[in-house]
Amino acid sequence: QDIGVIYVLLKPKGKVSLNEIFKKDVLSSDCFLHLRKNHSKLMNDLSHKVKLIAANPVIEGMNMKPEDLEELQQKVNVVINCDKKSNFNLRIDSAIKNYVDVPLNVMKLAQGFHNLQSYVLVSTAHVNSNRTGRIDERLYDPEVDYEKVINAIRRSHPRDLDVEYERVISEFPNTYAFSKSAAERLLIKYKGTVPLAIVRPSMILSAWKEPTPGWIDYVDEVGIITFTAGLGIFSDMPGDPNLIGDFVPVDFVVNTILVSAVRYALHSEVSMVHCCSSSSNPIRWGEFLETVEKTWKFMNSNNKILKSSEQLSDPPTFKLI
């Protein structure tokens, strides 16, 4: 009842309407299954509070209609900037476009909002993957000039991008981690007076409680390991079973984002919020993979996943080497 309008910026896809895109990508998700079945009126009321706006976030100005822009400028109080999905293997120029340019363009948009109280950037704990030891909720001194590096990459010929990446930012494990780290610093540099909170989740897993235990609507990051290991496609990988696998349920992450939007509203200082298990509530890779193996064996023996004609004759095993 306290929410007036939820504005969702969607990139147009040819002749497909924004309503069709939103229904397919969001409303049809099993995330809302409980609401659809048991609280249809509430679901209907929430749906009517959503307003879809055509925008291309990789372009400065986003190709937005003037009347849509004016409405956002007058009415928006909170901005949540979250990636649709994580891709660790994008070429460096594409990673910069998706994970640096988009939040910067959203920030430029937000700077024109007259009643803005909070901007939440959903980043990642991977931004400090080039460091060892304890990682605090802070911004560390950069080892490279991110803006200079990004400008050099923009000027590079596509055939030279891999060489440029290896030369200047090879301490990061992938282009995703580098780009998200760069985005944090550039947003802080150019945010102006916008109240900014940065949420850093670790590896996101299925839900603990909400919307229902075990819910997830995509296979990504560690989910790929559990899924392919269970099918017997992926049987081993390099690793130490005693190391902590830092996982966090998706509903923890959503709650952290929402709380951060309120807790740090109107703060002049940038707020960093870690959302991870770390050493506080650790699960080690060995424990995690044992649980995956037991779960798949149970599901297989109880015919929960595969049809009876497709039962695995030899239940899957997985090991770190």
Side-chain angles (χ1 to χ4, degrees), residues 77-122:
N77 305 115
V78 176
V79 172
I80 296 176
N81 183 192
C82 182
D83 304 322
K84 183 177 180 180
K85 63 179 180 179
S86 306
N87 190 330
F88 296 150
N89 300 311
L90 287 177
R91 199 173 69 179
I92 185 61
D93 55 338
S94 296
I96 289 171
K97 182 180 292 186
N98 282 275
Y99 304 127
V100 178
D101 291 349
V102 169
L104 282 174
N105 289 336
V106 176
M107 176 61 77
K108 290 175 184 176
L109 185 72
Q111 287 169 341
F113 295 170
H114 305 315
N115 300 298
L116 186 66
Q117 297 182 27
S118 184
Y119 181 119
V120 180
L121 172 70
V122 183

